[in-house]
Amino acid sequence: MTGSIFESEKIKEDFPLLEREVNGKPIVYLDSAATSQKPIEVIDRMTDYYKQINANVHRGAYHIAELATSEMEETRTKVSRFINASSEKEIVFTKNATEAINLVAYTWARTQLNEGDVILLSSLEHHSNIVPWQQLSSERNIEIRWIPITQDGQLDLSSMDELLADVKLLCVSAVSNALGTINPVKQLTDAAHQVGAICLVDACQSVPHFKTDVAELGADFLAFSGHKMCGPTGVGVLWGRLDLLEKMPPFLGGGEMILNVTSDGFTTNEVPWKFEAGTPPIAEIIGLGVAVSYLEKIGMEAIREHEQNLTSYALDLLNDRFGDDLIIHGPGAAVERSGVISFSYRDIHPHDISQVLDQYGVCVRAGHHCCKPLMALLGVNATARASLYIYNDESDIKVLADAINEVGKIFS
Amino acid sequence: MTGSIFESEKIKEDFPLLEREVNGKPIVYLDSAATSQKPIEVIDRMTDYYKQINANVHRGAYHIAELATSEMEETRTKVSRFINASSEKEIVFTKNATEAINLVAYTWARTQLNEGDVILLSSLEHHSNIVPWQQLSSERNIEIRWIPITQDGQLDLSSMDELLADVKLLCVSAVSNALGTINPVKQLTDAAHQVGAICLVDACQSVPHFKTDVAELGADFLAFSGHKMCGPTGVGVLWGRLDLLEKMPPFLGGGEMILNVTSDGFTTNEVPWKFEAGTPPIAEIIGLGVAVSYLEKIGMEAIREHEQNLTSYALDLLNDRFGDDLIIHGPGAAVERSGVISFSYRDIHPHDISQVLDQYGVCVRAGHHCCKPLMALLGVNATARASLYIYNDESDIKVLADAINEVGKIFS
Amino acid sequence: MPGLEDLYKEIILDHYKNPRNQGELSVPPAIMEEGFNPLCGDEVKVYVLTDGDLIKDIRIDGQGCSISQASASMMAESVIDKTLEEAKNLIERFKEMMSVHESNMDSEELSEDNDENSLGDLQALKGVVKYPVRIKCATLGWNTFDQIITPGE
Amino acid sequence: MPGLEDLYKEIILDHYKNPRNQGELSVPPAIMEEGFNPLCGDEVKVYVLTDGDLIKDIRIDGQGCSISQASASMMAESVIDKTLEEAKNLIERFKEMMSVHESNMDSEELSEDNDENSLGDLQALKGVVKYPVRIKCATLGWNTFDQIITPGE
Ligand SMILES: Cc1ncc(COP(=O)(O)O)c(C=O)c1O
Ligand SMILES: Cc1ncc(COP(=O)(O)O)c(C=O)c1O
């Protein structure tokens, strides 16, 4: 089925790492929620950057500096179109999604939120969308409130009205990295806007896998990382509504973000450069631009369709094969979730599961997935997590299942 | 002369970009103070990382995640030895030097400095070592005081005693990026420590060019960037004394920097991970490790000797050829300066100089070099700046001089 | 000067060496705005004296490269004695010329077009689009002038 | 289970399935410390009851993988009824074994050595050094125990 719309065999060939072996077995990479593999064109473009046009940006009047600058700035435009931003000025490059969220916490939130205000978080959030708010909360005596979850790891919106009282900021992930739950972002942002709150969407797990439209989501801020969407490490993106960005004070101070500096003080540069202090991750931004083009070439709708089909296949296969021995956390149906499959197998610790799977070339993550509050709610310490991407296919799922079976034998 | 100790022709071959042409002329790259070119082994190692072991670090129990983690952590050890830190725990990876300085401003300084305290800056500082302090100053009513400079762009230490009154933090660059001045860091840190101040050294322009020993410098914090020392963009380093780092609150909040998170709050991870929130620039850190090995292979003493000889050659050549038409800012003797040569030529605007030089393949920077307060003191708006590195040789200087001559013809 | 002919045209060098309308005006009655080019440190001060709808006088002060100086000088010459409306129109057309369109970049032949929208001498600056970093130099004076006559933007 | 024999030895699996000294002690008189492995979320609680210099009782509570559970269980068995001095010495030798030396990593043959410093059953954990990520699992209980008997560190 999945083969018909999507040539996953051909896509696999774009990713050099997937040709390697681990412990004498072909690698089966199922940890794309942590970081994705990179297609050869992304790797090559960065190599070419260093071999052909490497120069510091924005200030050089010479040829290669102009090339580097314009390629970097073209990526800004590309990214802004990719998420349907209204202007490339709304795209701030950071080092990762975590910095993007912290930027909002240090600038927008620290000028707008005060004692008595409430920040509403979903119980599915990643530490990167929790800890910055806890830091602020303890500084300012701001209340953090949690949207509870249902048994199957979906947000429980039954008491949103009470939850929203005094809320000034809603922080929610579009897709949970721990369970794969797709959250009803638009419904949440609509409700939050009704009470005048601002909405930050953590899109780390959605931008790589779904068509993203910041307007449709009703987001005011949106954060994601390059390395989970076929791009390199070292670059992330904060999108923000232009009017908000323009009113925010700067964050990091230094080169690039100033218009003028005297011994008495400084004036800030225009948005978005106001938020990009110091030499940017130039090669990485350019690499991200190639990654965006790569994903667009395949098509975000096709990607989602492939992943949904494959997830459905995986859920069925694992349930059929292991029955009650294997519990898959999160929503039951593939349509309600991304390609993240978080599971418990008997009472075997996820760390041991992952160690044995590695012996069969299978890469899955074991742990709390940076979601300790969620793990506490689920009543587990950790889970094993297999997460899919464009280069995975049914054969990968079969190898996974066979390897899980071997785990059972050791810890019987 | 320089050829004898240093095979610059062979070194040039390590840098693929230096083989290219610009406007039909072989490139003459003289902007290493902005960013250096990268040797092939650094580029190749990052490519290999993405092709062989790309995986998110620290949390994966599978083989390639272990390889990525250990290579990243080995780089920490390598960097700590390179600057003679007492432990690899003192090495915090950031996105650039600017973030490193801001980290100190947001954590150490915001918990230690209060109204009435004084921050002492040298007048040679880069905006990245000025603006973070101005941001703090305006928040807290902290005084910023400036160490003046002499006519030839050296720090004027004649009234240090008065300058040091109430100083709690000294921020000084080891080498000026605008003038190349080598500052007497040890003398300054000794004086500052006498009044109980903490010393932050901006080592962006020294670590790539001089043997660096944090203990010998008497630094408490030291910041530098990977991209100026043959490493990739997207990675910088903060070194800090372990006891200071351990007492500092965290900066960015998120994954990696926590030990535990509950819905009520979080506990921080150990130093240095406490300061490394989110997915680190993994490929970039690994690339930086290769850059450090590359520099060590050549030898920092040999690098300095080569650069000093070449600077001396350049100063003589330019002075001889252009006489009073060309003013070289900063100290007169090569021994007092790095390979940064900042100059004014007649009354021709540096932007125009650099534009014409580009026509001859020569890359120099024109502008304020992120040192506007210094430019104000020098009474210029901008300068043209040629900056040397290991791969430059006498022929590059000759091409520069010939091209400057052409500039003169156009704007006669 | 191979390759630089498009940038450093005769008329640009002339305006650079002999800038028109240099100096200051007393504020008030004139209005002054300051512009910075954060990339190279250039600063420009534009003084404008209006009489109703008419730009009676304009002066340029500050430091900058040949392109920013010449562009501001040529701007001053073009807008003096014009109405605000006409000046705004000119700014718009100038910025249009300075924006990096594929067409602008590609056209080997940077010919002056002769329709009613002709920018006259200002056409000489068209070569700047080939050097994206210099566009900010060319538009510095214009943006600053724009801030004066289109306030509150 | 090709390749995993060094990690999942018989004795380790036995301690994992039948952990010794599991449970709690009342605090006081016992002392309790909690340890976290930030990488995988494992938590361990170590309770120690001393009588003068003697470790009278030790209990382990918490959740973790086979390696962290087995290691803590084996630790408890080894230190009960020992003096603090002896326990500290054992901690040191165990950590030494767990540190990634070239020699440790290279030795294909992870043989038990038989000199007076032998760690006895604990030697079975030596295979963990081949899997650097798991070292933190193996040392979690030990570090937590160390915090109790070497306070103020
Ligand atoms: C002296 C000095 N300090 C700080 C910086 C800032 O470094 P980065 O832009 O890599 O953060 C630079 C380089 O631009 C520099 O030369
Ligand atoms: C949902 C979610 N939010 C935030 C992050 C943090 O991203 P990064 O580590 O790239 O900053 C991640 C990934 O680890 C994630 O999955």
Side-chain angles (χ1 to χ4, degrees):
Chain A
M1 276 298 288
T2 61
S4 62
I5 54 143
F6 206 82
E7 302 188 76
S8 48
E9 202 46 58
K10 257 189 83 188
I11 286 178
K12 225 170 202 164
E13 284 168 14
D14 293 338
F15 292 79
L17 186 133
L18 300 179
E19 285 161 25
R20 74 164 282 161
E21 297 199 334
V22 168
N23 294 318
K25 307 273 180 349
I27 196 166
V28 173
Y29 187 75
L30 294 173
D31 196 18
S32 295
T35 199
S36 77
Q37 295 307 329
K38 323 302 175 197
I40 186 67
E41 53 202 81
V42 169
I43 302 172
D44 282 350
R45 186 70 200 105
M46 290 192 290
T47 303
D48 282 352
Y49 165 81
Y50 284 123
K51 290 186 177 176
Q52 292 296 331
I53 63 168
N54 171 63
N56 214 326
V57 290
H58 291 148
R59 286 160 307 189
Y62 53 85
H63 186 59
I64 60 170
E66 284 195 345
L67 293 177
T69 304
S70 58
E71 192 157 342
M72 168 174 154
E73 292 302 329
E74 277 160 24
T75 297
R76 203 187 296 279
T77 308
K78 221 188 253 184
V79 170
S80 85
R81 291 201 192 121
F82 187 59
I83 60 169
N84 198 28
S86 28
S87 155
E88 67 277 2
K89 289 189 188 166
E90 298 182 329
I91 303 297
V92 178
F93 291 118
T94 59
K95 67 173 173 178
N96 52 27
T98 302
E99 186 195 354
I101 296 170
N102 278 271
L103 195 164
V104 177
Y106 273 100
T107 61
W108 182 86
R110 272 177 179 70
T111 48
Q112 300 296 323
L113 301 187
N114 294 301
E115 182 157 353
D117 290 339
V118 175
I119 299 175
L120 184 61
L121 301 184
S122 103
S123 293
L124 294 166
E125 295 313 301
H126 185 280
H127 293 160
S128 292
N129 204 16
I130 297 175
V131 178
W133 311 116
Q134 292 182 330
Q135 290 174 284
L136 176 60
S137 157
S138 64
E139 249 179 70
R140 291 275 173 96
N141 222 343
I142 286 168
E143 185 194 334
I144 290 182
R145 204 175 282 156
W146 302 83
I147 306 174
I149 50 170
T150 59
Q151 211 45 36
D152 65 344
Q154 310 219 40
L155 292 184
D156 176 354
L157 304 185
S158 57
S159 43
M160 273 306 277
D161 285 352
E162 294 109 82
L163 285 173
L164 278 168
D166 297 318
V167 167
K168 292 289 179 324
L169 177 65
L170 166 74
C171 299
V172 65
S173 50
V175 171
S176 155
N177 70 300
L179 301 182
T181 315
I182 300 172
N183 288 323
V185 174
K186 178 61 175 158
Q187 190 182 343
L188 286 163
T189 58
D190 278 351
H193 286 151
Q194 292 252 314
V195 302
I198 286 291
C199 302
L200 180 146
V201 177
D202 174 349
C204 280
Q205 299 292 339
S206 58
V207 167
H209 305 281
F210 299 80
K211 184 151 183 46
T212 301
D213 181 326
V214 290
E216 258 177 31
L217 288 172
D220 300 297
F221 294 109
L222 184 114
F224 57 100
S225 272
H227 67 90
K228 295 185 203 276
M229 54 188 284
C230 297
T233 53
V235 60
V237 174
L238 173 68
W239 167 85
R241 260 174 45 206
L242 195 56
D243 59 320
L244 293 174
L245 293 179
E246 275 174 348
K247 269 179 264 161
M248 277 149 57
F251 178 35
L252 305 180
E256 301 269 329
M257 56 67 77
I258 58 91
L259 210 51
N260 194 21
V261 179
T262 69
S263 57
D264 295 329
F266 67 95
T267 48
T268 53
N269 201 341
E270 290 166 36
V271 165
W273 303 286
K274 171 165 95 175
F275 299 109
E276 296 180 358
T279 301
I282 307 168
E284 293 75 14
I285 291 171
I286 289 173
L288 175 60
V290 179
V292 167
S293 301
Y294 180 80
L295 293 175
E296 280 176 335
K297 202 172 59 190
I298 302 178
M300 294 311 295
E301 276 92 356
I303 290 173
R304 171 57 185 158
E305 188 173 344
H306 168 71
E307 290 181 17
Q308 189 176 317
N309 289 342
L310 193 56
T311 304
S312 176
Y313 175 84
L315 296 176
D316 290 348
L317 184 92
L318 294 174
N319 282 328
D320 285 357
R321 178 138 179 203
F322 299 103
D324 290 345
D325 273 358
L326 190 140
I327 295 165
I328 295 173
H329 304 283
V335 65
E336 300 167 312
R337 56 193 302 157
S338 72
V340 168
I341 299 171
S342 217
F343 63 94
S344 302
Y345 180 53
R346 301 203 196 142
D347 58 350
I348 304 170
H349 192 280
H351 231 151
D352 291 313
I353 296 176
S354 138
Q355 187 85 61
V356 179
L357 293 189
D358 179 50
Q359 211 56 38
Y360 295 91
V362 179
C363 308
V364 303
R365 188 132 302 221
H368 50 65
H369 317 299
C370 291
C371 293
K372 289 203 79 169
L374 171 63
M375 295 290 126
L377 290 180
L378 294 176
V380 298
N381 230 17
T383 72
R385 184 188 70 185
S387 53
L388 313 172
Y389 206 19
I390 41 177
Y391 33 70
N392 293 117
D393 56 24
E394 297 183 358
S395 72
D396 294 334
I397 309 297
K398 283 183 204 142
V399 177
L400 168 68
D402 288 344
I404 292 176
N405 201 49
E406 296 297 323
V407 178
K409 290 189 198 159
I410 295 178
F411 292 95
S412 58
Chain B
M1 276 293 291
T2 60
S4 62
I5 54 143
F6 206 83
E7 300 187 78
S8 48
E9 202 46 57
K10 257 190 82 189
I11 286 177
K12 226 169 200 165
E13 284 168 14
D14 293 337
F15 292 80
L17 187 134
L18 299 178
E19 286 161 24
R20 74 163 282 162
E21 298 199 334
V22 167
N23 295 317
K25 306 273 178 353
I27 196 167
V28 173
Y29 187 75
L30 294 172
D31 196 17
S32 296
T35 200
S36 77
Q37 294 308 329
K38 323 302 175 198
I40 186 68
E41 55 201 79
V42 169
I43 302 172
D44 282 349
R45 187 69 199 102
M46 290 191 291
T47 302
D48 283 352
Y49 166 79
Y50 284 123
K51 289 186 176 175
Q52 292 295 330
I53 63 167
N54 171 65
N56 213 328
V57 289
H58 291 147
R59 286 161 306 188
Y62 53 85
H63 185 60
I64 61 170
E66 284 196 345
L67 293 177
T69 304
S70 58
E71 192 156 343
M72 169 175 154
E73 292 301 328
E74 276 160 25
T75 297
R76 203 187 295 279
T77 307
K78 222 188 251 183
V79 170
S80 85
R81 291 200 191 120
F82 188 59
I83 61 170
N84 198 29
S86 26
S87 156
E88 68 276 4
K89 289 189 188 166
E90 298 182 330
I91 303 297
V92 178
F93 290 119
T94 60
K95 67 173 174 179
N96 53 27
T98 301
E99 186 196 353
I101 296 170
N102 278 271
L103 195 164
V104 176
Y106 273 100
T107 60
W108 181 85
R110 272 178 178 69
T111 48
Q112 300 296 320
L113 302 186
N114 293 300
E115 181 155 357
D117 289 339
V118 175
I119 298 174
L120 184 60
L121 302 183
S122 103
S123 294
L124 293 166
E125 295 314 300
H126 185 281
H127 292 160
S128 292
N129 203 17
I130 297 175
V131 178
W133 312 117
Q134 291 181 331
Q135 290 173 283
L136 176 60
S137 157
S138 63
E139 250 179 70
R140 292 276 173 95
N141 223 343
I142 286 167
E143 184 193 335
I144 290 181
R145 204 174 282 157
W146 301 83
I147 306 173
I149 50 170
T150 60
Q151 211 43 40
D152 65 345
Q154 311 218 38
L155 293 183
D156 176 354
L157 304 185
S158 58
S159 42
M160 272 306 276
D161 286 351
E162 293 109 83
L163 284 174
L164 279 168
D166 298 317
V167 167
K168 292 288 178 329
L169 176 66
L170 166 74
C171 299
V172 64
S173 51
V175 171
S176 155
N177 69 299
L179 301 181
T181 316
I182 300 173
N183 288 323
V185 175
K186 177 63 175 156
Q187 190 181 342
L188 286 162
T189 58
D190 278 351
H193 285 150
Q194 292 251 313
V195 301
I198 286 292
C199 302
L200 180 146
V201 177
D202 175 350
C204 281
Q205 299 292 338
S206 59
V207 167
H209 305 281
F210 299 80
K211 186 155 181 41
T212 300
D213 181 326
V214 290
E216 257 176 33
L217 288 171
D220 300 297
F221 295 108
L222 184 114
F224 57 100
S225 273
H227 67 91
K228 294 184 202 278
M229 54 188 286
C230 297
T233 54
V235 59
V237 174
L238 172 68
W239 167 86
R241 261 174 43 206
L242 194 55
D243 59 322
L244 293 174
L245 293 179
E246 276 173 346
K247 268 179 263 159
M248 277 150 57
F251 178 34
L252 305 181
E256 300 269 329
M257 56 68 76
I258 56 92
L259 210 51
N260 194 20
V261 180
T262 69
S263 58
D264 294 331
F266 66 96
T267 47
T268 53
N269 201 341
E270 290 166 37
V271 165
W273 302 286
K274 172 164 94 175
F275 299 109
E276 295 179 357
T279 302
I282 307 168
E284 294 74 16
I285 292 171
I286 289 172
L288 175 60
V290 180
V292 166
S293 301
Y294 181 80
L295 293 175
E296 279 176 336
K297 202 172 61 189
I298 302 178
M300 295 311 296
E301 277 92 354
I303 290 173
R304 170 58 186 159
E305 188 172 342
H306 168 71
E307 289 181 18
Q308 188 175 318
N309 288 342
L310 192 56
T311 304
S312 177
Y313 174 84
L315 296 176
D316 290 349
L317 184 95
L318 294 173
N319 283 327
D320 284 358
R321 178 138 178 202
F322 299 103
D324 291 345
D325 272 358
L326 190 141
I327 296 165
I328 296 173
H329 304 282
V335 64
E336 299 167 315
R337 56 193 301 157
S338 72
V340 167
I341 299 172
S342 217
F343 62 94
S344 302
Y345 180 52
R346 301 205 198 138
D347 58 350
I348 303 170
H349 193 280
H351 231 151
D352 291 313
I353 296 177
S354 137
Q355 187 85 61
V356 179
L357 294 190
D358 179 50
Q359 211 56 39
Y360 295 91
V362 179
C363 308
V364 303
R365 190 133 298 222
H368 50 63
H369 316 300
C370 290
C371 294
K372 290 202 81 169
L374 172 63
M375 295 290 125
L377 290 179
L378 295 174
V380 298
N381 230 16
T383 72
R385 183 189 71 184
S387 53
L388 313 172
Y389 206 19
I390 41 177
Y391 34 69
N392 293 117
D393 57 25
E394 297 183 358
S395 74
D396 295 333
I397 308 296
K398 283 183 204 143
V399 176
L400 167 70
D402 288 346
I404 292 175
N405 202 49
E406 296 296 325
V407 178
K409 289 189 198 157
I410 295 179
F411 292 94
S412 60
Chain C
M1 187 185 51
L4 286 177
E5 308 79 7
D6 282 340
L7 191 61
Y8 295 128
K9 298 213 162 140
E10 211 48 62
I11 185 166
I12 292 178
L13 292 177
D14 176 51
H15 272 269
Y16 174 46
K17 287 169 196 160
N18 313 292
R20 328 293 201 257
N21 294 59
Q22 219 178 6
E24 310 183 3
L25 293 174
S26 39
V27 178
I31 303 175
M32 189 276 282
E33 271 291 344
E34 225 171 337
F36 288 101
N37 183 340
L39 309 183
C40 59
D42 284 356
E43 294 170 25
V44 68
K45 285 181 184 170
V46 178
Y47 296 82
V48 176
L49 182 72
T50 51
D51 180 5
D53 233 25
L54 204 72
I55 296 166
K56 287 221 21 160
D57 204 354
I58 175 166
R59 292 293 159 95
I60 312 289
D61 204 17
Q63 295 170 289
C65 65
S66 59
I67 302 298
S68 75
Q69 298 272 78
S71 181
S73 167
M74 292 164 85
M75 171 184 80
E77 215 176 43
S78 323
V79 301
I80 198 161
D81 292 331
K82 294 266 160 55
T83 66
L84 292 176
E85 203 53 46
E86 288 167 328
K88 280 179 199 169
N89 188 274
L90 194 67
I91 291 173
E92 206 169 292
R93 279 185 293 137
F94 183 77
K95 286 194 184 165
E96 172 68 14
M97 181 173 80
M98 282 296 122
S99 62
V100 189
H101 288 311
E102 292 298 305
S103 61
N104 277 355
M105 292 294 283
D106 286 351
S107 67
E108 273 302 296
E109 177 92 340
L110 293 164
S111 63
E112 343 261 283
D113 53 88
N114 284 315
D115 63 3
E116 67 261 47
N117 275 332
S118 165
L119 288 159
D121 282 359
L122 290 168
Q123 294 269 19
L125 286 160
K126 194 166 177 181
V128 173
V129 283
K130 275 195 175 173
Y131 303 85
V133 173
R134 306 303 293 273
I135 293 175
K136 291 225 170 193
C137 307
T139 53
L140 179 63
W142 293 79
N143 285 330
T144 313
F145 175 54
D146 198 6
Q147 274 171 45
I148 298 180
I149 68 170
T150 319
E153 218 197 307
Chain D
M1 189 184 54
L4 286 177
E5 306 80 6
D6 283 341
L7 191 60
Y8 295 128
K9 297 211 163 141
E10 211 46 64
I11 185 166
I12 292 178
L13 291 177
D14 176 51
H15 272 270
Y16 174 47
K17 287 171 196 161
N18 313 293
R20 329 293 202 259
N21 294 59
Q22 218 180 8
E24 309 183 5
L25 294 174
S26 39
V27 178
I31 304 176
M32 190 275 284
E33 271 291 344
E34 224 172 335
F36 288 102
N37 183 340
L39 309 184
C40 58
D42 285 354
E43 294 171 25
V44 68
K45 285 182 183 170
V46 178
Y47 297 82
V48 176
L49 182 72
T50 51
D51 180 5
D53 233 26
L54 205 74
I55 296 167
K56 285 222 18 162
D57 203 355
I58 174 166
R59 291 294 158 94
I60 312 289
D61 202 18
Q63 296 170 288
C65 64
S66 59
I67 302 298
S68 75
Q69 298 272 76
S71 181
S73 166
M74 291 165 87
M75 171 184 82
E77 214 176 44
S78 323
V79 300
I80 199 162
D81 292 329
K82 294 266 161 56
T83 66
L84 292 177
E85 202 53 45
E86 287 167 329
K88 280 181 198 167
N89 187 274
L90 194 67
I91 291 173
E92 205 168 292
R93 279 186 293 136
F94 182 76
K95 285 194 186 167
E96 171 68 15
M97 181 174 81
M98 282 296 121
S99 63
V100 190
H101 288 313
E102 291 297 304
S103 60
N104 279 354
M105 292 294 283
D106 286 350
S107 67
E108 272 302 295
E109 178 93 339
L110 293 164
S111 63
E112 342 261 283
D113 54 88
N114 285 316
D115 61 4
E116 68 262 46
N117 275 332
S118 164
L119 286 159
D121 282 358
L122 290 168
Q123 294 269 21
L125 285 159
K126 194 165 177 180
V128 174
V129 284
K130 275 196 174 173
Y131 302 87
V133 173
R134 305 304 292 274
I135 294 175
K136 291 224 172 191
C137 307
T139 54
L140 180 62
W142 295 79
N143 285 330
T144 312
F145 176 54
D146 198 6
Q147 273 172 45
I148 297 179
I149 67 170
T150 320
E153 218 197 310

